[in-house]
Amino acid sequence: MGALPVSVVIVSRGRPGALSLCLTGVAQLDYPAYEVIVVACPEGVATVAARPDADRIKRVAFDEPNISAARNLGIAEAAGEVIAFLDDDAVPEPTWLAHLCAPFADPQVTAAGGYVRGRNGIEYQWRAQGVTARAQERDLPIEGTEPRILHGRPGVAIKLQGTNMAHRRSVLAEMGGFDPAFRFFLDETDLDMRHAAAGHAVAVVPLAEVHHGYAESPRRAADRSPRDLTEIGASLAVFLAKHCPEAERRMAWLALRDAQRHRLLRSLQRGPLGPDDVVRLMRSLDRGWTEGLARPFGNLPPIPEARLPFLAYPGRAGAPRRVLSGRVWNRAAMRRDAARYAADGEIVSAYRFSHTALFHTLRFHADGYWEQIGGLWGRSERVGPVIQLHSFEDRLRSEDARVAPVRDNKDQI
């Protein structure tokens, strides 16, 4: 059986720089059959139009602050058997689609989700989680890297993250896609609950990894501190009205409200927010809750088949891998080489170690290569001794081995 054709849907609004980096990463996916659909504001559409691969990307103009409605427009244009969703401030590892979509070979699987690395490129933001009808999340005890096929049940779902999930198109379209009552926040969680209520099988795929940057937006600052909680409050009201038993809703809301308050207080302690900000933001949360109580939801008609045929994106199926390494004084030359090899169609990993114990960071560079920097004796994963004694060669091997399962850097050192 060949690879299932996959439509990658990216929604973007007001973040053309992040979208550009995301698309550079998507262009390096090692998967033989995918198309790319961007649903974006005018800035985002212009960013796509200016790219050399613009004729291989489906574009949908949409400039409203409603991620569910935007995703539904992407579904309507998707001609793949599977639809994968990626945020505009995320970059996938090259093997993301290959891992994420493999479980769909089992016809019972209707959705799948992977793991998400945080801003330093090494620590996880999200792994495997479940969620209840009270919007309470819990970690799932999944060991190892093999995909796991799980079933939720009414009131308890397998939680997928909107920046790293895939759904079988036929099932998603029949369900009516995402509920536009969720303009932002809990939009994918509502869909998770609907999958669980229908008894659908969901795969958790640890090796399907993306890196999520938490880019600045009207709702949050670059330091991740919130700017407005109105839509969070509204989404909580809609979610509880749809999924939580009526007798439990008030207590659930108070618990969720208290959790948001504690989040703001942590930001207050850290410095980005002042006491007046906390008061203002809690008022916006309460205002959103009141608005959400009056917001209509549900009544989702099926989404029809795509108007246009599958638009295959060339990608980098079977692309050669290259690993570069060097010290601080090699930085400029190594970056030039990395950009050149990436432009030639290779998937490039560059490692630069200083003679320090600095923690490591990993990022995808705008020139199309992965770059990890840090101290030769410093931590990459934030566990174990603060100072770790290594030779340069041993450190290079251990760090490349750490990413090899998701970057497929076999036998490159």
Side-chain angles (χ1 to χ4, degrees):
M1 179 179 177
L4 291 172
V6 179
S7 301
V8 178
V9 172
I10 304 163
V11 171
S12 184
R13 189 166 188 266
R15 300 196 294 209
L19 175 62
S20 180
L21 184 66
C22 174
L23 289 171
T24 300
V26 168
Q28 294 193 9
L29 288 173
D30 188 346
Y31 191 79
Y34 70 100
E35 66 175 359
V36 181
I37 302 164
V38 175
V39 183
C41 64
E43 276 185 302
V45 170
T47 294
V48 177
R51 293 177 57 89
D53 56 359
D55 62 335
R56 309 307 301 171
I57 299 175
K58 292 181 177 179
R59 284 164 274 170
V60 182
F62 185 73
D63 195 20
E64 297 177 21
N66 190 320
I67 194 169
S68 294
R71 283 177 171 159
N72 287 346
L73 291 174
I75 296 168
E77 297 297 322
E81 291 185 40
V82 172
I83 305 176
F85 294 90
L86 187 68
D87 284 355
D88 65 351
D89 60 347
V91 177
E93 286 281 356
T95 61
W96 172 60
L97 275 189
H99 289 299
L100 184 64
C101 297
F104 290 96
D106 184 338
Q108 73 166 323
V109 172
T110 59
Y115 286 8
V116 181
R117 300 273 183 182
R119 295 179 76 171
N120 64 26
I122 295 172
E123 293 181 290
Y124 286 108
Q125 278 179 2
W126 299 301
R127 285 187 274 192
Q129 291 184 320
V131 63
T132 71
R134 296 179 62 146
Q136 294 174 323
E137 300 174 6
R138 62 183 180 88
D139 292 336
L140 297 178
I142 290 181
E143 302 290 337
T145 59
E146 291 300 311
R148 291 279 301 276
I149 297 177
L150 306 172
H151 289 79
R153 62 182 188 275
V156 181
I158 310 305
K159 181 172 173 58
L160 306 181
Q161 299 296 337
T163 191
N164 186 358
M165 64 180 178
H167 299 264
R168 197 177 294 276
R169 191 200 192 279
S170 58
V171 176
L172 184 57
E174 184 62 30
M175 295 172 70
F178 296 84
D179 190 336
F182 297 91
R183 299 172 188 171
F184 162 77
F185 188 63
L186 294 178
D187 44 299
E188 70 269 52
T189 311
D190 167 67
L191 183 57
D192 298 335
M193 298 300 294
R194 290 153 55 202
H195 277 308
H200 294 161
V202 175
V204 175
V205 191
L207 291 181
E209 286 194 7
V210 305
H211 296 251
H212 187 218
Y214 264 131
E216 186 175 5
S217 77
R219 291 173 299 274
R220 66 171 177 247
D223 62 9
R224 295 177 59 181
S225 59
R227 288 172 166 165
D228 185 86
L229 298 181
T230 303
E231 283 302 329
I232 288 181
S235 289
L236 287 170
V238 175
F239 185 88
L240 295 179
K242 287 189 73 170
H243 303 292
C244 185
E246 186 173 1
E248 300 177 18
R249 287 176 199 163
R250 182 64 181 170
M251 291 302 296
W253 158 242
L254 292 176
L256 293 165
R257 185 183 188 277
D258 192 55
Q260 290 293 326
R261 178 175 172 273
H262 277 88
R263 179 166 76 106
L264 297 180
L265 292 177
R266 288 194 295 272
S267 290
L268 174 65
Q269 292 173 337
R270 208 171 65 239
L273 299 181
D276 291 347
D277 296 315
V278 173
V279 173
R280 173 181 57 81
L281 288 165
M282 288 304 296
R283 285 175 178 167
S284 72
L285 181 72
D286 292 338
R287 184 170 59 250
W289 168 263
T290 301
E291 179 191 326
L293 292 175
R295 187 176 289 181
F297 57 79
N299 189 27
L300 306 176
I303 297 174
E305 292 295 321
R307 299 177 300 107
L308 300 175
F310 191 80
L311 181 62
Y313 188 88
R316 294 197 179 175
R321 270 56 170 177
R322 186 176 295 269
V323 174
L324 304 177
S325 63
R327 271 79 165 180
V328 173
W329 53 85
N330 302 108
R331 178 174 60 186
M334 191 169 68
R335 284 181 166 173
R336 284 194 301 270
D337 289 343
R340 175 167 54 86
Y341 289 127
D344 288 342
E346 299 188 26
I347 294 172
V348 181
S349 302
Y351 299 91
R352 190 175 79 248
F353 304 139
S354 60
H355 286 83
T356 68
L358 291 173
F359 285 6
H360 288 222
T361 60
L362 168 65
R363 71 184 184 109
F364 184 71
H365 198 277
D367 286 333
Y369 59 87
W370 297 89
E371 182 181 49
Q372 181 173 331
I373 63 174
L376 180 60
W377 308 296
R379 287 176 176 170
S380 52
E381 295 175 320
R382 275 37 173 187
V383 294
V386 174
I387 297 178
Q388 303 179 5
L389 299 180
H390 298 276
S391 69
F392 189 95
E393 291 75 15
D394 286 346
R395 188 61 191 262
L396 176 60
R397 289 183 183 278
S398 67
E399 292 305 320
D400 200 59
R402 186 179 59 79
V403 303
V406 295
R407 206 162 307 153
D408 204 18
N409 288 350
K410 299 187 294 289
D411 304 322
Q412 294 301 305
I413 298 178

